Amino acid sequence: MGIPINVGVIGCGAIIAQYLTNFRRLDSINLVAVADLDPARAQAVADSYDGVRALTVDQLLAADDVELVLNLTIPAAHADIALKAIAAGKSVYGEKPLAATTGEAREVLDAAAAAGVVVGCAPDTVLGTGIQTARKAIDDGLIGAPVSATATMATPGHERWHPNPDFYYQPGGGPLLDMGPYYVSALVTLLGPVVSVVGAASHTRSERTIGSGPREGQKVPVDIDSHVTGVLVHASGALSTLFMSFDAVKTKSPNIEVHGQTGSLIVPDPNHFDGDVQLFALGAEEWETLPVSAGYVDSGRGFGIADLAATPAGQEPRAGGQLAFHALEVMESVLDSAKTGQSVAIKSTVARPASVELAELSTGVRA
Ligand SMILES: NC(=O)c1ccc[n+]([C@@H]2O[C@H](COP(=O)([O-])OP(=O)(O)OC[C@H]3O[C@@H](n4cnc5c(N)ncnc54)[C@H](O)[C@@H]3O)[C@@H](O)[C@H]2O)c1
């Protein structure tokens, strides 16, 4: 792959707008084509972005000028589209989770390894200044050896704002698989890989009501646990407590806290790219906001693809398939543990991705 990298997008739904905004700011990304099961959605994107053509999925997979397929379909389709793209010789970068199950995700990674193509996966929020500044604070010893973390995500449910929220309530969705990738990827970035988990989960309602758009008022069935808690045991010995809920109204707790023997750290929302990192050092009188010291400045969804394009051949990209697989195995195992009541050992492991120096990737806005 060269820079700029030629990207074709499959899946032109709610999230593509954020990628388009950022692709206009990233010289290293050249969007060439888009496709969707609904041709009108692909055409609307092509009409809005200079030089982009709307294709069918098969045409996009066969297009010679597409080097990397950005997979923005729903979770249930992630593996199928990724495998088709890999079979066509393309690298892939997918929205999270990597696949609906670790079984499917393993097939994707194995197929990519056999084909010699690269797998990247959201979230790339961990490359922004928020998580990277927190990571640097930990690596610089500002809290001493990390002992524990809490990760809290509380919302009444995405059906309140998403016009087609069905997939959030089907296998592959739920608060953990939907929002957990941000939190688990951040926790692994901050504290390293996970070796075992325990979980507990609950299911409150069998239906949800769509709150916006043309289907407002329609009910969608709920086939997942909508409140999930868990404890992750990191290889370092640190323990992270997860709270992921579509059954809560609001929380004032920070999204992530990390505690060490000589300091406590408030880490900003891992679903955002920036935000303040706060430190309460042992013996201090109050919280101190740390200066931004690492990460891609003013970044957004899609910066992980620019990072992937700049990764030397043969090296795992930071927002890479291995991290996404590990995060998925951790989440799937929390849900398994919730069913069986037993602790689950995590088979995969992953190195903490290389830290990101404070850097500006965006170069201004194109048409
Ligand atoms: N909506 C958000 O705010 C948000 C934020 C972060 C990540 N994500 C992730 O992005 C992904 C997409 O979410 P979304 O909200 O854009 O969903 P969406 O339902 O709005 O859009 C998905 C699009 O993919 C198309 N599609 C589905 N299966 C396909 C297939 N097999 N081939 C071609 N096209 C297909 C659909 O027609 C639709 O246009 C999900 O993995 C989600 O977790 C969404």
Side-chain angles (χ1 to χ4, degrees):
M1 284 180 296
I3 291 183
I5 185 172
N6 283 350
V7 173
V9 180
I10 301 182
C12 301
I15 199 57
I16 195 172
Q18 291 188 33
Y19 283 89
L20 298 178
T21 298
N22 292 319
F23 288 172
R24 293 178 196 281
R25 303 194 295 134
L26 288 165
D27 278 350
S28 58
I29 293 180
N30 187 25
L31 180 63
V32 296
V34 291
D36 195 288
L37 283 178
D38 178 348
R41 290 188 188 180
Q43 192 58 53
V45 172
D47 290 345
S48 76
Y49 202 109
D50 280 358
V52 173
R53 56 200 201 278
L55 301 175
T56 65
V57 171
D58 286 343
Q59 285 169 340
L60 189 144
L61 291 171
D64 286 339
D65 60 345
V66 172
E67 294 172 280
L68 178 139
V69 170
L70 170 57
N71 183 1
L72 302 183
T73 61
I74 56 172
H78 284 180
D80 181 48
I81 293 292
L83 286 168
K84 284 183 175 147
I86 291 165
K90 319 285 189 203
S91 289
V92 289
Y93 182 99
E95 251 306 337
K96 46 76 189 169
L98 180 57
T101 64
T102 52
E104 288 183 353
R106 176 50 62 201
E107 276 186 60
V108 170
L109 294 189
D110 288 351
V117 299
V118 179
V119 178
C121 190
D124 47 5
T125 46
V126 288
L127 309 181
T129 52
I131 302 296
Q132 289 292 325
T133 295
R135 177 201 176 138
K136 184 160 164 45
I138 294 171
D139 291 354
D140 287 349
L142 299 191
I143 64 167
V147 176
S148 64
T150 59
T152 310
M153 192 290 298
T155 160
H158 295 337
E159 75 280 8
R160 293 166 61 83
W161 60 268
H162 197 296
N164 292 300
D166 313 59
F167 70 87
Y168 291 119
Y169 295 99
Q170 293 302 310
L176 182 60
L177 287 175
D178 176 50
M179 296 302 285
Y182 300 109
Y183 291 80
V184 176
S185 304
L187 290 168
V188 173
T189 297
L190 297 170
L191 301 175
V194 175
V195 291
S196 68
V197 302
V198 291
S202 59
H203 174 111
T204 50
R205 283 165 278 168
S206 57
E207 287 181 333
R208 299 273 176 148
T209 306
I210 299 176
S212 70
R215 298 171 62 205
E216 185 175 348
Q218 276 183 26
K219 309 267 189 212
V220 297
V222 177
D223 291 334
I224 46 86
D225 282 329
S226 44
H227 178 82
V228 182
T229 58
V231 175
L232 318 185
V233 181
H234 293 265
S236 66
L239 302 179
S240 294
T241 306
L242 281 185
F243 174 111
M244 301 281 129
S245 191
F246 284 168
D247 285 318
V249 175
K250 202 80 182 159
T251 173
K252 271 185 120 172
S253 311
N255 297 90
I256 295 180
E257 282 183 25
V258 183
H259 303 280
Q261 289 173 4
T262 62
S264 290
L265 207 59
I266 295 180
V267 178
D269 187 341
N271 187 16
H272 294 168
F273 288 76
D274 54 7
D276 286 344
V277 178
Q278 293 183 288
L279 170 71
F280 206 116
L282 185 66
E285 298 285 315
E286 56 190 25
W287 291 99
E288 168 197 358
T289 301
L290 298 180
V292 171
S293 61
Y296 293 131
V297 176
D298 191 22
S299 46
R301 287 189 167 82
F303 276 58
I305 303 170
D307 185 82
L308 177 153
T311 303
Q315 273 183 34
E316 175 73 2
R318 288 190 177 91
Q322 302 294 338
L323 174 59
F325 183 90
H326 185 65
L328 181 59
E329 187 187 354
V330 166
M331 295 184 289
E332 196 173 80
S333 301
V334 167
L335 296 173
D336 285 350
S337 172
K339 285 203 185 79
T340 64
Q342 304 291 312
S343 165
V344 178
I346 304 299
K347 296 187 208 78
S348 68
T349 192
V350 69
R352 291 169 85 199
S355 57
V356 181
E357 304 261 304
L358 193 62
E360 183 90 48
L361 282 191
S362 138
T363 50
V365 180
R366 287 174 286 167

